[in-house]
Amino acid sequence: MKTEIRYRFESSQVANRFVHVLKDWPISDVKTRLFNGGDSVKVTYEYDESGFDYTSAELDDLAEQHDGKEV
């Protein structure tokens, strides 16, 4: 199942930093896309249905480190 989460950041520069970190992210294979003027990021990934999927929580933690909020 495909899952999509959107995050908003203070600026497009911070959003780009978040995207850059996710390019080599070891936790899960995610796809990213900037939107809403470049200060927001849409993250898409395949939900692991074999048990509890920690990807969402890890993404939230990473976004929080960049002062991002889920929208």
Side-chain angles (χ1 to χ4, degrees), residues 3-71:
T3 302
E4 180 179 292
I5 305 173
R6 298 169 185 222
Y7 297 98
R8 179 171 290 136
F9 298 90
E10 291 180 12
S11 68
S12 59
Q13 182 180 15
V14 177
N16 274 304
R17 254 187 235 129
F18 179 72
V19 167
H20 182 71
V21 169
L22 289 176
K23 284 184 181 186
D24 297 319
W25 201 46
I27 295 180
S28 181
D29 182 28
V30 297
K31 305 220 182 309
T32 59
R33 190 178 124 221
L34 293 170
F35 73 100
N36 197 28
D39 69 345
S40 298
V41 178
K42 178 169 62 171
V43 180
T44 308
Y45 67 94
E46 285 292 326
Y47 180 79
D48 181 11
E49 296 181 31
S50 64
F52 185 78
D53 184 16
Y54 291 94
T55 306
S56 178
E58 295 288 341
L59 284 167
D60 288 349
D61 289 346
L62 182 61
E64 190 175 309
Q65 290 173 15
H66 289 85
D67 296 322
K69 303 282 185 223
E70 186 175 345
V71 291

